[in-house]
């Protein structure tokens, strides 16, 4: 029997008008039984997300500054939604409880989580679904890692007792009952957890774009939508900056191979993108999509006969590990190796890292270059199509972009290219235009 889980993002629940669209979508199919709600997002491009206002409240309270103005802004947002929808719901005592909690140094995660908590309560009331608090069905371990099996068992059990329910996204509880959130954009993960626990036939992720687009619409004008994409491709793209879906939202549904459909709340009839476990179909463009991020640095190490020195790579990475820095890429030549790391992470430990590498491997030369952007060209079709890499490089050369690093994933699913941050937009455009005519 068909069962759909829906997750609505912040922009889809930003105001009363959007709540109406959301209710219409949910009510249009009886199989749409479980709904995950985000906190109200931006109504216009210069608006502030409720989650960000809550973080601000927490920061003010921590500095013992007055939170009244920001807290009132939050209350007003919710109250105007309630008033405009004409719902009988008085949140006065709930707001007061939250306000006191903010003032009495409740955790930062608790404060942030109230955005989804309140919005899910309003949505549940508006559409007549049960409200199920995420703290009762999403669990973290003592060390802060996510407890997937406990979550799945309890959530399955709890939701089986609710024919229809709204669950707030983004947070869960620690073993001692305190609230912990996922990383930003984490309501996508909650949606995926609910889909797994209820053995949904599909997980519909409703947002403000008609699916996953081949490139970031904020950089490429009117990019083509992707009809179908595999879990693996999606992870590559979302990790590399295509923020439509949280990169970790794939894991829960992967167990039961539940497809995800990215849909547009403002254009519900558009097909959107299907994210599937696997597919034989190949995109007509060969590549599936391009994504990218700025803010990387490279550490280049030179030493003659490096390739024959056993354990050298391990010793370089050990230094990073000891300094709590994870690396993105690690391309190496015969006498050189380069490690790509996040600039922010490196900045704080730069001196220790460089001293550590010098001590561990005694290089002839070592230098750091900042302002690197990474681009990921992703496509399951690249394995079969000859010359894809060549087309990427020619397109970049013709656009006058100097390539700083190349790394082709062993799965042949992606090609990662490092360029100067100043060339980032030009590079993204050049590759997009090469493949999408
Ligand atoms: P939500 O609030 O619904 O979770 P997000 O803001 O997290 O929505 O994600 C949707 C946004 O992701 C879009 O509005 C768009 O600006 C951005 N985005 C970045 N890369 C892409 C891409 N490749 N395809 C579609 N949208 C993208
Ligand atoms: N509201 C949270 C955020 O802004 C979670 C989410 O939107 O998924 O990050
Ligand atoms: Mg999101």
């Amino acid at each position: 029997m068909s069962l759909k889980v829906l997750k609505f993002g912040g922009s889809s629940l930003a105001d009363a008008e959007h709540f109406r669209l959301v209710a219409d979508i949910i009510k249009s199919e009886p199989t749409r039984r479980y709904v995950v709600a985000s906190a109200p997002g931006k109504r216009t491009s210069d608006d502030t997300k409720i989650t960000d206002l809550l973080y601000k409240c927490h920061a003010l309270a921590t500095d013992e500054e007055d939170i009244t103005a920001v807290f009132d802004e939050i209350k007003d947002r919710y109250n105007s939604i309630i008033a405009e929808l004409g719902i009988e719901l008085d949140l006065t005592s709930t707001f007061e409880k939250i306000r006191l909690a903010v003032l009495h140094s409740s955790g930062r995660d608790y404060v942030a989580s109230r955005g989804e908590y309140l919005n899910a309560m309003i949505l549940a009331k508006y559409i007549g679904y049960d409200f199920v608090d995420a703290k009762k069905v999403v669990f973290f371990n003592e060390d802060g890692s996510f407890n997937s099996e406990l979550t799945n068992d309890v959530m399955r059990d709890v939701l089986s007792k609710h024919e229809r329910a709204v669950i707030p996204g983004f947070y869960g509880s620690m073993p001692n009952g305190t609230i912990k959130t996922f990383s930003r954009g984490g309501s996508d993960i909650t949606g995926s957890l609910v889909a797994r626990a209820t053995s949904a036939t599909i997980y519909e992720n409703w947002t403000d774009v008609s699916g996953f687009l081949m490139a970031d619409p904020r950089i490429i004008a009117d990019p083509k939508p992707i009809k179908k994409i595999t879990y693996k491709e999606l992870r590559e793209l979302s990790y590399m900056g295509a923020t439509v879906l949280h990169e970790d939202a794939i894991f829960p549904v992967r167990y039961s191979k539940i497809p995800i459909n990215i849909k547009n709340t403002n254009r519900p009839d558009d097909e959107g993108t299907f994210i599937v476990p696997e597919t034989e179909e190949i995109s007509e463009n060969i590549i599936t999509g391009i994504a990218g991020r700025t803010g990387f640095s490279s550490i280049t190490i030179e030493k003659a006969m490096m390739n024959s020195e056993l354990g050298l790579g391990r010793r370089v990475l050990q230094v990073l590990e000891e300094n709590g820095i994870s690396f993105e890429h690690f391309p190496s030549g015969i006498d050189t190796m380069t490690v790509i790391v996040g600039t922010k992470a490196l900045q704080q430990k730069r001196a220790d890292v460089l001293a550590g590498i010098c001590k561990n491997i005694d290089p002839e030369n070592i230098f750091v270059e900042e302002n690197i952007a990474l681009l990921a060209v992703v496509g399951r079709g690249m394995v079969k199509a000859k010359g894809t890499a060549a087309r990427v490089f020619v397109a970049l050369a013709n656009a006058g972009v100097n390539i700083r690093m190349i790394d082709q994933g062993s799965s042949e699913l992606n090609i990662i290219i490092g360029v100067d941050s100043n060339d980032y937009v030009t590079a993204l455009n050049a590759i997009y235009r090469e493949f999408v005519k």
Side-chain angles (χ1 to χ4, degrees):
M1 208 181 63
S2 174
L3 187 161
K4 297 186 175 181
V5 167
L6 293 76
K7 175 256 169 179
F8 290 91
S11 46
S12 304
L13 291 168
D15 50 27
E17 195 186 320
H18 278 91
F19 266 70
R20 289 197 191 97
L21 294 177
V22 165
D24 287 345
I25 290 167
I26 298 169
K27 293 292 168 76
S28 68
E29 286 187 32
T31 52
R32 290 181 164 147
R33 288 172 43 200
Y34 298 102
V35 180
V36 171
S38 294
K42 294 182 179 193
R43 293 158 295 185
T44 54
S45 56
D46 51 7
D47 199 8
T48 312
K49 282 177 154 198
I50 288 286
T51 311
D52 291 312
L53 292 176
L54 287 162
Y55 281 127
K56 198 167 163 190
C57 264
H58 178 261
L60 288 170
T62 309
D63 293 344
E64 294 185 9
E65 284 184 41
D66 188 12
I67 67 164
T68 312
V70 184
F71 198 77
D72 283 350
E73 196 179 333
I74 296 169
K75 276 201 308 198
D76 288 349
R77 286 281 301 266
Y78 287 111
N79 282 333
S80 70
I81 293 174
I82 294 171
E84 280 176 50
L85 294 177
I87 322 171
E88 295 233 344
L89 182 66
D90 184 0
L91 291 177
T92 313
S93 61
T94 314
F95 285 137
E96 189 50 18
K97 200 177 143 206
I98 297 172
R99 193 183 70 85
L100 292 175
V102 175
L103 290 178
H104 294 102
S105 50
S106 286
R108 186 172 184 265
D109 283 12
Y110 166 82
V111 177
S113 75
R114 297 304 88 183
E116 344 292 293
Y117 173 80
L118 293 163
N119 225 23
M121 278 215 299
I122 297 172
L123 182 63
K125 182 84 184 169
Y126 183 51
I127 61 173
Y129 277 29
D130 296 342
F131 170 80
V132 174
D133 192 346
K135 80 172 181 196
K136 299 196 173 131
V137 288
V138 176
F139 303 102
F140 293 89
N141 295 308
E142 202 69 64
D143 64 2
S145 59
F146 172 61
N147 189 333
S148 142
E149 292 318 304
L150 180 65
T151 298
N152 194 47
D153 290 348
V154 176
M155 194 187 271
R156 191 195 314 118
D157 194 44
V158 171
L159 292 182
S160 71
K161 298 184 181 85
H162 297 268
E163 179 66 18
R164 295 169 188 284
V166 177
I167 305 109
F170 193 37
Y171 71 93
S173 54
M174 293 290 288
N176 67 2
T178 55
I179 298 291
K180 180 174 165 56
T181 65
F182 292 110
S183 58
R184 295 301 304 263
S187 298
D188 291 330
I189 306 176
T190 313
S192 191
L193 298 174
V194 175
R196 180 187 175 202
T198 56
S199 302
T201 29
I202 194 153
Y203 166 22
E204 293 180 339
N205 188 290
W206 292 83
T207 181
D208 61 352
V209 274
S210 288
F212 219 98
L213 305 169
M214 283 190 71
D216 191 329
R218 292 163 296 190
I219 299 177
I220 305 276
D222 203 16
K224 242 173 108 169
I226 301 171
K227 283 197 182 114
K228 224 178 231 185
I229 180 169
T230 64
Y231 288 167
K232 276 189 191 156
E233 289 175 305
L234 182 110
R235 255 184 74 68
E236 298 284 352
L237 286 173
S238 50
Y239 180 69
M240 282 300 290
T243 53
V244 199
L245 191 76
H246 193 292
E247 77 224 34
D248 291 342
I250 293 299
F251 291 116
V253 289
R254 205 177 52 177
Y255 288 99
S256 11
K257 302 196 167 157
I258 301 167
I260 306 173
N261 188 193
I262 309 275
K263 299 270 287 174
N264 189 345
T265 302
N266 305 308
R267 297 175 56 103
D269 293 333
D270 286 359
E271 248 180 69
T273 301
F274 281 92
I275 307 165
V276 295
E278 270 152 44
T279 175
E280 294 290 312
E281 281 171 49
I282 300 290
S283 154
E284 55 178 330
N285 305 103
I286 300 181
I287 65 165
T288 304
I290 318 161
R293 270 161 56 192
T294 52
F296 295 99
S297 291
S298 63
I299 308 170
T300 301
I301 304 148
E302 295 174 348
K303 186 176 187 183
M305 309 285 286
M306 187 180 258
N307 64 323
S308 57
E309 205 176 308
L310 214 59
L312 195 117
R314 180 185 54 73
R315 295 203 299 275
V316 170
L317 297 183
Q318 191 185 353
V319 176
L320 292 176
E321 188 179 339
E322 283 165 3
N323 284 283
I325 299 172
S326 57
F327 72 97
E328 300 291 327
H329 295 279
F330 192 31
S332 52
I334 309 177
D335 297 328
T336 65
M337 78 179 41
T338 302
V339 197
I340 308 280
V341 296
T343 303
K344 242 193 204 154
L346 181 65
Q347 257 161 5
Q348 292 148 11
K349 301 279 181 129
R350 186 175 164 136
D352 293 345
V353 167
L354 297 187
I357 295 175
C358 287
K359 181 170 158 265
N360 262 13
I361 69 161
D362 191 23
E364 278 154 24
N365 197 5
I366 178 165
F367 55 92
V368 175
E369 286 177 281
E370 291 178 350
N371 295 326
I372 291 187
L374 294 179
L375 284 116
V377 183
V378 176
R380 58 189 182 275
M382 294 191 323
V383 183
K384 294 205 180 107
K386 287 197 183 74
T388 314
R391 285 176 68 185
V392 171
F393 303 142
V394 169
L396 291 177
N398 287 343
V401 174
N402 183 21
I403 300 175
R404 308 271 290 271
M405 183 215 76
I406 301 162
D407 197 356
Q408 176 155 29
S410 48
S411 58
E412 282 190 59
L413 195 66
N414 61 359
I415 302 169
I416 307 283
I417 301 136
V419 300
D420 193 286
S421 295
N422 294 324
D423 289 334
Y424 173 58
V425 171
T426 312
L428 207 71
N429 270 288
I431 300 171
Y432 182 80
R433 302 288 161 219
E434 168 60 32
F435 288 93
V436 187
K437 304 285 183 193

